[in-house]
Amino acid sequence: MKSFYLIILAIFIATAFGTYFFRSAILSFVRKDNCQSAKCNIPEVLKRFKLSETYEDKPNRFRGLYENDNHKVRIDIQAKISQSQAGEIVRGREMALNALFEDRVSAYPGQISREITCSEKYKPMIEKIDQNGTETTLAKGLFTDRFTMGACVDDLLPNEGFIAWYWCSKTNTLNQVEVIGPKENDKTESILSSLGCSN
């Protein structure tokens, strides 16, 4: 009988120590299961970044800016989105991105040119890829010092990066991850390699 009580006491002590030493992991797991915000679905890689600005934080949508060294990551997560809805949203954003580089009639047409054209080298390369088992639409290109695409002059484009869109069936979320960094210290590929629904 005495050995039975000793076994119970040993189990109790082991449980108490285990709970104490792994309390942060346990709390993180509980919070994740009970999380009611779209923010719960941010990619794991962003845990190495600092959230510097929150644009929107609602149960069905989270938009924010993360920073780490010279790199910026803008995130837009929409929850409760079906695959067909996600496809429509992504196609719309692709069209808007391509429209930035379409030829336009000059506001001041003259002898030199009647149209403003943008060289192919400034236009983003858009493709569909498999990223860690997740179908991803990827737009790689050059960014201005205001972290936007659309410029067609070398001097205005000190940064490079990508915009990735992918839908996760397990969480019904559409993720837009925009990563921008300086050309001379580009780490965007390593961030891209860590994206996907399982990450």
Side-chain angles (χ1 to χ4, degrees), residues 166-185:
Y166 57 94
W167 177 78
C168 296
S169 58
K170 187 176 179 181
T171 54
N172 284 324
T173 55
L174 172 62
N175 301 272
Q176 176 178 304
V177 182
E178 198 171 346
V179 180
I180 306 142
K183 291 177 186 175
E184 68 276 5
N185 186 27

Side-chain angles (χ1 to χ4, degrees), residues 8-22:
I8 296 296
L9 181 62
I11 292 171
F12 175 76
I13 291 170
T15 303
F17 275 107
T19 303
Y20 176 78
F21 285 112
F22 297 104

Side-chain angles (χ1 to χ4, degrees), residues 115-158:
E115 277 190 333
I116 299 170
T117 59
C118 189
S119 171
E120 287 295 319
K121 72 176 184 177
Y122 300 116
K123 297 178 182 180
M125 183 180 74
I126 301 176
E127 60 182 334
K128 291 206 184 308
I129 62 168
D130 182 296
Q131 190 60 48
N132 296 315
T134 303
E135 184 181 290
T136 303
T137 300
L138 182 69
K140 283 185 172 181
L142 301 170
F143 289 77
T144 68
D145 57 359
R146 294 190 175 204
F147 309 107
T148 59
M149 284 185 172
C152 297
V153 180
D154 285 328
D155 292 345
L156 299 178
L157 295 163

Side-chain angles (χ1 to χ4, degrees), residues 105-115:
V105 176
S106 174
Y108 304 100
Q111 294 179 343
I112 298 173
S113 176
R114 291 188 165 277
E115 277 190 333

